[in-house]
Amino acid sequence: MKLLIVESPGKIKKLQGILGAEWRVAASCGHVRDLPNQGYGLEPPDFTLRYTETKPDVLKKLGTLVRDAEEVFLASDPDREGEGIAWHLKDALGLKAYKRVTYTAITPRDVQAGLDSPRDIDMNLVHAQEARRALDRLCGYKVSGPLCRAVREEKMSAGRVQSPAVRLVVERERAIRSFVSTTHFGVELIFEAVENISDGWKACWLPREGWLADGQEYFLDKAVAEKIAALRTLDILSCEEKESRAAPPAPFTTSSLQQAASNALKFKPRDTMAIAQKLYEAGHITYMRTDSPNLSETAIAEIRACADSNGWPLPEKPRTWKSKAGAQEAHEAIRPTHVEVESAGDTPQEKALYALIRIRTLASQLADAVFDVRVARLASDVDGKKAVFEAKGRTLREQGWKVVMAADASLADAEEAEPDNAVPDLKAGCQATAVQGAVKMKKTKPAPRFSEASLIREMEKRGIGRPATYAAIMENIAARAYVKEEKAFLVPTPRGEKLVDALAGAFGFLDLDFTSHMEERLDDVANGNVSYVQCVGAFHAQLMEELGRFVQAYAVPCPACGNREQFRHVYSREKGWNFWGCKACGAIFADDNGRPGLRQEKGAAELTDFLCEKCGKPLQHLQGTKKDGSGQYDFFACSDKACGAKYDNVDGRPVIRKAPALSEHTCKKCGKPLVPRPTKNGGVWFGCSGFPMCKARYWAKDDGSPDYDNPPKH
């Protein structure tokens, strides 16, 4: 029996059908080991990652299968994460003989090609995956604690990539808030019908030609615009005809698929990736995490054959596309595994995404769309100055790649709409008569808020993150309440703005250029040009230097001993903590609007004007944090320790606590009645009513009586 280990259980059925009975396909269900939940899991100078097993049951099952297998093939996904998973499996299962195989589509041809080309695990890719994990762990664990203390808000977290994403949203929102709109004017003339053009044709005034002062961007004089709009006879300066060609869009990368699915199908990025995963596992599309916009030679040949059979126009040579800088091109663009299959998927969402991918793939290899463009320039004098107008018309002559887009208009990328303006064939030196003119009042608008799709596009343009991370970033910044969605647009929350304000200028990872550079360093690790230790060590050194300055900037000295390093604001809404504590001297202070207030020491409480009802001595008001950190205390107690009377604080006044119910049992030590007390797990114990003079305690037996022979330790 041969064993093939993949990541996802969803692939097992398809692969088992391809490979046959002599194979056994099993899944690791993702990573089988990870960094520990507590602690950093790595330390300088070598930053070796300390892993813990996260799926012992899976490893046990795989170990049994490995022992019965003749050969073991590690077929996790063909990316850095998949390479890391393969290495963890090899190490955790103690594999001395294995074959690492990859394929970008689950089809008989692709899977067999992968099996025919086994290799060793690429440790450079593993180190790049580990470096990314280490950088994220250092950033999150080292910075998040000081960040929470600095902004005095719990559960704030810094992220090496997610924080720059939040910064983009915050800066865009602030630009919108500060934007001052400018009202400006344009002019449009409508000319008489020519050559049976019933609706006439339009020309727009070009204020840039002689009407704007140096540095002026918009025309602001409405009165002059009205004079220009009153023109009726204009000289024809020129009329040119030319051809315009539009190439098809490139095949989908991970980023462009998420953007197109958001615009055309209204899918969120995480949903797009989940649906694409299903299509991939079912063998309908190639691997859906890729930076490459190019297709394999085999795929191009199949697409051209499909286009030819449908009579669609083809260019002379197959198309190739220029990848963006830093793209990881280990495998091709996202495409159907069988382009002739028009519909695939089990759900309406899967069918819709498949259709989007298929049409984009087909269009990418078809001929250009060809337009006939006619541009006329006209002019007339106004107050001794020449007002120049332009009339532009465009007519589609050859559909080219648009022939496949026409099958479903919702799948076409949104293009900049151009008005239907059939400009007639005009002759230079003649005149044209306008029948109507209108002043067009316009207002400048700020850049729009980011949608999830446009934020991904901006991140990709700036080199922030990688295809596999975009969907998770969108989900994380929303789940952590740094941004919220309003009418399909992302808006920063006050919490998100507080995050950016605290980190900006303090940490390099929030700088957008730095983030892009770090992605390049990870690529260098993957290519073997930089070692894991060099990459992580450089980041750690800079981070610790920045962290030291950050902590000092927000540090508060202990009022008791002056220590800054070990004096902290301890706050938790869930646990009811809100105090300042010093580990150096042990002093505790109440919080006073974010600063240390009165010192909280049990023995130092001042006497109040209230008198003890039991003995008549003054009461003390005691408040602060319990020693075990389980919450706050606030009550009155008699200043005479021998009396021991305690009172609840009700609206600032002492109210005598009700006497506990006494049992019929007595204390073996002092003879006073015992008081039954409940335990946390629903049991019972007995305490002496003579407390605090007598501190005897007893467990309760099954019959409800005190167990005098086995008292609890206290």
Side-chain angles (χ1 to χ4, degrees):
M1 182 264 289
K2 296 179 181 179
L3 177 63
L4 185 79
I5 303 177
V6 297
E7 286 184 38
S8 171
K11 302 174 185 176
I12 293 177
K13 183 178 179 181
K14 182 74 175 180
L15 285 167
Q16 194 70 65
I18 292 173
L19 296 175
E22 62 182 41
W23 284 80
R24 178 69 183 274
V25 183
S28 70
C29 303
H31 279 279
V32 293
R33 299 193 305 194
D34 200 357
L35 295 177
N37 291 328
Q38 302 297 326
Y40 300 119
L42 70 160
E43 294 295 341
D46 57 1
F47 301 100
T48 300
L49 299 176
R50 299 191 303 274
Y51 293 107
T52 59
E53 291 184 0
T54 56
K55 297 185 177 76
D57 293 341
V58 171
L59 283 173
K60 183 178 179 181
K61 179 181 177 182
L62 292 175
T64 301
L65 294 172
V66 165
R67 285 192 293 272
D68 296 335
E70 301 168 11
E71 292 182 282
V72 178
F73 295 78
L74 302 178
S76 47
D77 288 345
D79 54 15
R80 293 177 190 172
E81 204 73 20
E83 206 71 14
I85 290 173
W87 176 77
H88 280 296
L89 287 169
K90 169 187 172 293
D91 195 56
L93 294 172
L95 297 178
K96 295 182 179 177
Y98 71 93
K99 294 180 179 179
R100 170 72 171 130
V101 297
T102 59
Y103 40 81
T104 58
I106 304 178
T107 65
R109 181 182 64 193
D110 291 278
V111 172
Q112 190 58 53
L115 295 175
D116 291 341
S117 303
R119 58 174 174 81
D120 290 333
I121 291 172
D122 187 335
M123 290 308 298
N124 287 333
L125 291 181
V126 174
H127 292 326
Q129 186 272 330
E130 287 192 302
R132 178 183 291 280
R133 191 77 179 90
L135 297 179
D136 291 342
R137 173 59 67 106
L138 288 171
C139 181
Y141 274 52
K142 294 284 188 184
V143 179
S144 295
L147 171 66
C148 292
R149 293 189 286 271
V151 301
R152 297 192 294 276
E153 187 165 344
E154 59 181 326
K155 294 185 178 179
M156 291 280 277
S157 62
R160 186 183 62 86
V161 180
Q162 76 175 28
S163 295
V166 177
R167 178 178 183 172
L168 288 172
V169 177
V170 169
E171 290 183 347
R172 176 62 60 88
E173 187 68 20
R174 288 177 173 173
I176 293 171
R177 289 177 196 160
S178 61
F179 183 80
V180 178
S181 180
T182 299
T183 300
H184 59 105
F185 303 94
V187 175
E188 181 181 83
L189 297 181
I190 300 177
F191 289 81
E192 60 186 348
V194 177
E195 299 176 353
N196 298 319
I197 302 173
S198 58
D199 294 333
W201 49 282
K202 300 174 183 178
C204 294
W205 173 48
L206 305 177
R208 291 185 180 278
E209 299 201 12
W211 294 85
L212 297 179
D214 290 342
Q216 186 179 357
E217 191 172 357
Y218 303 105
F219 190 77
L220 309 178
D221 194 330
K222 183 179 180 181
V224 172
E226 288 174 342
K227 286 184 179 181
I228 294 172
L231 294 172
R232 291 297 177 265
T233 302
L234 289 89
D235 297 324
I236 300 171
L237 303 179
S238 64
C239 185
E240 297 179 354
E241 294 190 31
K242 56 184 179 180
E243 178 184 277
S244 172
R245 307 180 73 89
F252 283 129
T253 61
T254 303
S255 171
S256 60
L257 175 64
Q258 291 176 1
Q259 295 169 46
S262 176
N263 293 330
L265 305 176
K266 310 306 178 188
F267 290 169
K268 288 188 171 295
R270 64 176 178 271
D271 297 330
T272 297
M273 295 309 293
I275 296 167
Q277 178 81 29
K278 294 290 186 183
L279 291 171
Y280 169 64
E281 291 175 357
H284 299 313
I285 64 171
T286 54
Y287 192 55
M288 62 287 165
R289 293 190 178 95
T290 175
D291 280 353
S292 174
N294 287 306
L295 302 170
S296 67
E297 292 182 2
T298 303
I300 291 175
E302 292 175 354
I303 294 167
R304 290 177 71 89
C306 179
D308 190 57
S309 67
N310 283 280
W312 295 333
L314 287 164
E316 290 185 11
K317 297 180 180 179
R319 293 185 186 275
T320 57
W321 307 87
K322 184 178 180 181
S323 300
K324 68 181 183 64
Q328 299 170 23
E329 299 188 83
H331 39 271
E332 60 183 319
I334 305 168
R335 62 170 177 84
T337 54
H338 302 286
V339 73
E340 71 278 3
V341 176
E342 295 185 5
S343 179
D346 296 329
T347 67
Q349 291 80 12
E350 289 176 24
K351 293 178 186 296
L353 190 64
Y354 177 83
L356 191 75
I357 294 169
R358 179 176 181 269
I359 288 180
R360 174 66 75 96
T361 303
L362 287 168
S364 71
Q365 292 300 318
L366 297 184
D368 291 347
V370 182
F371 298 85
D372 288 328
V373 179
R374 182 175 286 162
V375 180
R377 288 170 59 86
L378 308 95
S380 187
D381 290 336
V382 175
D383 295 337
K385 295 177 66 175
K386 183 174 289 187
V388 179
F389 287 76
E390 182 181 77
K392 185 176 181 180
R394 191 177 79 152
T395 304
L396 180 64
R397 188 175 81 224
E398 297 176 16
Q399 279 192 305
W401 58 273
K402 289 180 175 289
V403 68
V404 295
M405 292 296 193
D408 188 344
S410 68
L411 300 181
D413 282 351
E415 295 184 9
E416 191 173 328
E418 291 194 33
D420 183 14
N421 189 28
V423 178
D425 185 11
L426 303 174
K427 290 183 172 49
C430 297
Q431 291 185 324
T433 302
V435 296
Q436 185 179 341
V439 174
K440 298 293 184 180
M441 186 178 75
K442 305 174 185 178
K443 290 188 176 181
T444 57
K445 295 180 180 180
R449 285 171 169 164
F450 286 114
S451 64
E452 287 191 340
S454 62
L455 181 57
I456 287 173
R457 183 166 58 249
E458 185 71 14
M459 291 173 63
E460 182 184 34
K461 183 177 76 173
R462 292 176 176 269
I464 300 172
R466 280 293 183 258
T469 65
Y470 293 138
I473 292 169
M474 297 300 107
E475 192 167 3
N476 285 339
I477 63 177
R480 291 171 178 169
Y482 298 140
V483 303
K484 60 183 179 180
E485 199 169 34
E486 291 183 1
K487 298 180 180 178
F489 290 100
L490 299 177
V491 181
T493 63
R495 177 180 170 85
E497 295 195 51
K498 186 184 291 187
L499 171 83
V500 171
D501 288 340
L503 297 178
F507 293 99
F509 66 82
L510 204 72
D511 183 80
L512 304 178
D513 291 336
F514 178 91
T515 304
S516 175
H517 172 68
M518 187 52 64
E519 293 294 342
E520 294 174 359
R521 294 286 285 180
L522 290 171
D523 292 342
D524 288 338
V525 176
N527 295 327
N529 299 325
V530 173
S531 73
Y532 164 84
V533 173
Q534 287 174 319
C535 177
V536 178
F539 179 80
H540 178 265
Q542 177 174 339
L543 182 67
M544 296 311 294
E545 182 179 340
E546 293 169 341
L547 188 60
R549 291 195 296 266
F550 182 80
V551 170
Q552 284 299 314
Y554 287 95
V556 176
C558 172
C561 69
N563 189 292
R564 287 176 176 267
E565 286 73 25
Q566 299 189 64
F567 187 57
R568 296 284 187 268
H569 181 205
V570 181
Y571 176 75
S572 171
R573 187 181 294 109
E574 293 178 357
K575 296 182 178 181
W577 297 349
N578 187 18
F579 64 94
W580 293 76
C582 182
K583 290 184 178 180
C585 68
I588 295 176
F589 300 83
D591 179 69
D592 183 10
N593 195 28
R595 304 292 295 181
L598 294 175
R599 183 167 181 170
Q600 301 296 297
E601 293 184 282
K602 186 175 180 180
E606 296 182 1
L607 300 179
T608 69
D609 294 333
F610 300 111
L611 301 179
C612 177
E613 295 182 12
K614 187 176 178 181
C615 68
K617 293 182 179 178
L619 299 181
Q620 291 177 312
H621 185 195
L622 304 178
Q623 57 182 336
T625 302
K626 296 179 181 178
K627 288 184 178 180
D628 61 1
S630 60
Q632 302 285 310
Y633 60 81
D634 186 353
F635 64 95
F636 291 89
C638 182
S639 56
D640 186 350
K641 305 303 179 186
C643 171
K646 295 180 180 178
Y647 302 79
D648 292 325
N649 183 352
V650 179
D651 297 330
R653 300 185 64 83
V655 175
I656 190 69
R657 291 180 175 176
K658 293 182 179 179
L662 302 178
S663 72
E664 65 214 25
H665 308 292
T666 58
C667 178
K668 189 175 181 181
K669 185 176 180 181
C670 69
K672 291 185 178 181
L674 296 179
V675 179
R677 305 283 189 185
T679 64
K680 292 181 179 180
N681 58 7
V684 176
W685 63 279
F686 291 93
C688 182
S689 60
F691 183 86
M693 302 305 294
C694 178
K695 299 180 180 180
R697 296 180 181 183
Y698 308 91
W699 292 122
K701 295 181 180 179
D702 292 339
D703 62 3
S705 63
D707 186 351
Y708 292 114
D709 297 328
N710 297 293
K713 294 180 181 180
H714 59 274

